[in-house]
Amino acid sequence: MNLTLRIWRQQSATAPGRFVSYRINDVTPEMSFLEMLDMLNEDLINRQEPPVAFEHDCREGICGSCGFLVNGVAHGGQRGTTVCQLAMRFFNDGDTLTLEPWRARAFPVIRDLIVNRSAFDRIIQAGGFITAPTGSAPDANAVLVPKEDADTAFDAAACIGCGACVAACPNASAMLFTSAKVTHLNSLPQGQPQRDQRTLSMVAEMRNEVFGSCTNHGECEAVCPKQIPIEFIGKLNRDLIRALWHRRREPLKIPSVVQLPCAEDAHEHFHDDIRPSQEVARRQLQEDVPAPLPVGSPEHAGTSR
Ligand code: SF4
Ligand code: FES
């Protein structure tokens, strides 16, 4: 099949970008999407033109490196599929495909289809760990884990950190990613000693990284290649309330998270219809993190173009 590709080309983070159209012929249905781009790049190199930069590693849906928008949909729109697993049989001869990088202020474009997702790394650093005594390995059944909890932790651990949830969300929210990382460890007995600190630290870091707020659009769940359920965001909110409740009795310092002073007028940025639980969380968190920006503002979901 023969296709037209409209691809976002941007030399660097500071250079202006634009769409460039390419014709590509003899694409077979068996090819993966990235193999099709490999073919395009071989052609560009032969013509002494710069190849299209895109990120990849495993090419089997495990590492989370790949990811861009195909016709405006993260990972190309096949349910539970990363773009590296996307097969060309889902497209038709003569199609025009528009490829562009994730669009979110927290994910600045590095080059072409590659964005900087280190904001996710900093959220992980804030709380994605447990403390455990060192020494010889404990017996496998030394700590018993209820089956239901093990299944929940396993489902949450499936998140590969690709960033599609942020790209799909109108608010550029990282709630689905953060909720998966928090739920993974908070569901297990080994994660209990730092449960409150983990929740507060990761939520605070998420807000420091200028991700937007969740307003229950559900776009994140729809595009997630690992089908992380949106109910994990509910679990995160419940854990946040729990942590804040405990904190009222025992002041908690959050290490490794930049604690910026709270804006005096923080409440002015919140919508009137904010839920009671979010209101409690807001009051507590605004002591530690900067006031959130208005939902839907350019600062939240602003493009990097
Ligand atoms: S929650 Fe899903 S879409 Fe978001 S980073 Fe994890 S795997 Fe990717
Ligand atoms: S290249 Fe690893 S998930 Fe796509």
Side-chain angles (χ1 to χ4, degrees), residues 34 55-67 75 82-85 160:
L34 298 192
E55 204 175 351
H56 64 91
D57 188 2
C58 70
R59 294 201 177 205
E60 52 185 332
I62 296 172
C63 70
S65 321
C66 67
H75 288 298
T82 54
V83 75
C84 63
Q85 298 173 299
I160 54 176

Side-chain angles (χ1 to χ4, degrees), residues 75 120 158-166 176-178 180-181 220 223-228:
H75 288 298
F120 271 8
C159 168
I160 54 176
C162 63
C165 46
V166 174
L176 192 66
F177 165 80
T178 307
K181 297 305 173 191
C220 52
V223 300
C224 174
K226 295 297 147 186
Q227 299 183 288
I228 302 293

Side-chain angles (χ1 to χ4, degrees), residues 23-63:
R23 287 284 299 167
I24 181 162
N25 300 327
D26 303 326
V27 176
T28 63
E30 297 79 29
M31 278 182 184
S32 74
F33 204 93
L34 298 192
E35 283 170 341
M36 183 272 294
L37 284 182
D38 289 339
M39 201 165 90
L40 172 71
N41 277 346
E42 279 175 27
D43 189 40
L44 290 175
I45 290 167
N46 287 340
R47 287 192 272 138
Q48 312 229 322
E49 290 180 36
V52 176
F54 61 93
E55 204 175 351
H56 64 91
D57 188 2
C58 70
R59 294 201 177 205
E60 52 185 332
I62 296 172
C63 70

